[in-house]
Amino acid sequence: MSETAQHIHDIQQQTNANDAGLDAARERRDVVLPAAATFGGISETFISGSLATGVVTGEVEDADGGVIADRRCFPGLGPDGDGKSPVEVLADMQAHIGPLAREEYPDAVVKTMKRGLRVFVNEPLADGQDPYVDVVFAMKRKDKPGLWIPNMDIPRWDAAHPQKHVELLNSGEQPQRTLRAQIIRLGKVWNKQWSEPALCSFNICSLGLEAITTVVPIEHALFTFFDHAATALAKRRTEDPAGVSGPINFEKPKDVVLKRARDARDAVAEALEHDDDADAVQAAMHRVFFQYVDQAARISSKDDLADRLRVSTPRLRPTTTGLG
């Protein structure tokens, strides 16, 4: 294993979600969604988000899913109806789900949220994880693909296609799916090191979907991800991979987004270029994953590092199979 790949492996060991949290989240989702499906007027349910696509990192906070309402039962709701908000329907659904959830989880509490309902199970695991379940309320769009999902904070209805996102992120042969999920998780870990991340998780997932199209060693795939992010985001905001909603908004000003992506790209490139120098690789990877990789002990100053990196090896460039 190369020096750069070893650091990536160490970061994964620190940040991958554990099986206990993942299993608990799935079990809770599989109790709550069937309960929600028994509410009158619900035609189907769906799963979505990080758990459904295998890109959860760290502590498992939640399991995402949703219900799709039958338009015939709620003709006034949504942009294809009278534009009415689902406030009253959600209150009724909240009262319906609570007793059913408490049959399995006696301390469960159901609350409203921006997109629907949130079910807190209140049964922490031995390690403190206590995943809740989000139940998005949705309606199929009348003449276009995707769903109408309410934004209760504004209020308004937004177009989205969470089922298509799951389908896309889980597509391809197994090696590609595995590599893509690994890179997305690393991208999320990198992005969340700042108290104010520059990109939302959906943007990271969409960039990973665009960037990871072939199977290469993970260290080269990580460079490809950051190189794609730095290049693509300089030109435009990331498009919704399902083609339903608009371009994905940045969480920070564009210059901050680009600086972070370019700095990460350049640091991974340096790590790969000097992969036979353990200290140089560690120093470079520290610049990317500063919360997870210590500074190299034997490189005491920026000048020392610059001397190490001032060698005659050619600059890295992206190729169809990785780096050349």
Side-chain angles (χ1 to χ4, degrees):
M1 184 181 294
S2 71
E3 288 289 338
T4 306
Q6 183 61 59
H7 279 292
I8 291 173
H9 175 74
D10 292 344
I11 295 162
Q12 291 174 316
Q13 293 297 107
Q14 296 178 65
T15 61
N16 281 348
N18 65 33
D19 289 340
L22 295 170
D23 289 343
R26 294 188 189 98
E27 290 170 3
R28 296 173 182 197
R29 182 189 63 195
D30 292 345
V31 168
V32 171
L33 284 186
T38 65
F39 182 74
I42 298 303
S43 61
E44 58 185 291
T45 64
F46 62 90
I47 61 173
S48 59
S50 297
L51 185 65
T53 53
V55 295
V56 180
T57 61
E59 181 176 327
V60 185
E61 295 182 355
D62 62 355
D64 295 316
V67 295
I68 300 177
D70 188 327
R71 183 174 306 284
R72 295 169 297 180
C73 300
F74 307 101
L77 296 186
D80 295 327
D82 298 328
K84 187 178 177 181
S85 167
V87 171
E88 296 179 4
V89 176
L90 286 175
D92 292 340
M93 184 181 291
Q94 181 180 11
H96 176 82
I97 293 177
L100 297 176
R102 284 188 286 274
E103 291 179 5
E104 186 72 25
Y105 306 110
D107 295 322
V109 176
V110 184
K111 297 186 178 182
T112 57
M113 63 153 185
K114 177 180 178 180
R115 301 294 189 182
L117 299 175
R118 177 166 292 171
V119 181
F120 295 94
V121 171
N122 295 316
E123 288 189 9
L125 304 179
D127 61 4
Q129 295 182 98
D130 194 7
Y132 56 82
V133 180
D134 278 347
V135 182
V136 171
F137 183 88
M139 304 187 76
K140 288 185 178 179
R141 300 170 80 196
K142 186 176 181 180
D143 300 317
K144 296 179 180 179
L147 304 173
W148 287 119
I149 295 175
N151 183 331
M152 308 296 287
D153 295 341
I154 296 180
R156 71 180 186 206
W157 292 81
D158 297 324
H161 204 333
Q163 306 107 306
K164 186 66 175 180
H165 298 154
V166 171
E167 177 187 335
L168 290 170
L169 286 164
N170 290 337
S171 65
E173 297 296 325
Q174 185 61 53
Q176 183 185 3
R177 294 202 306 271
T178 299
L179 179 63
R180 183 168 57 215
Q182 289 176 325
I183 294 301
I184 289 173
R185 289 196 294 268
L186 288 165
K188 291 172 67 175
V189 167
W190 161 77
N191 184 53
K192 290 191 291 186
Q193 291 176 112
W194 287 270
S195 59
E196 295 182 350
L199 301 168
C200 67
S201 293
F202 180 40
N203 206 335
I204 298 289
C205 291
S206 300
L207 288 167
L209 192 61
E210 292 177 352
I212 308 305
T213 58
T214 58
V215 177
V216 296
I218 193 168
E219 61 270 36
H220 296 288
L222 186 64
F223 171 83
T224 298
F225 171 81
F226 285 124
D227 184 52
H228 174 73
T231 303
L233 295 177
K235 300 175 182 177
R236 55 171 176 79
R237 288 181 291 153
T238 312
E239 296 292 341
D240 171 18
V244 171
S245 59
I248 305 169
N249 290 328
F250 296 146
E251 299 296 300
K252 297 289 286 182
K254 183 176 181 179
D255 61 331
V256 175
V257 174
L258 294 180
K259 183 179 188 309
R260 291 182 186 178
R262 289 166 177 166
D263 286 350
R265 174 197 61 193
D266 294 346
V268 175
E270 287 182 1
L272 293 172
E273 192 171 356
H274 303 280
D275 200 68
D276 57 348
D277 186 332
D279 287 341
V281 171
Q282 184 167 338
M285 292 300 288
H286 170 74
R287 287 158 49 198
V288 187
F289 295 102
F290 49 84
Q291 287 189 0
Y292 304 98
V293 178
D294 293 334
Q295 289 181 313
R298 295 188 316 206
I299 297 180
S300 58
S301 71
K302 291 182 179 179
D303 290 339
D304 293 338
L305 177 59
D307 289 341
R308 280 184 178 273
L309 298 181
R310 196 175 293 116
V311 294
S312 59
T313 51
R315 297 301 299 172
L316 293 170
R317 55 183 173 79
T319 71
T320 56
T321 59
L323 300 176

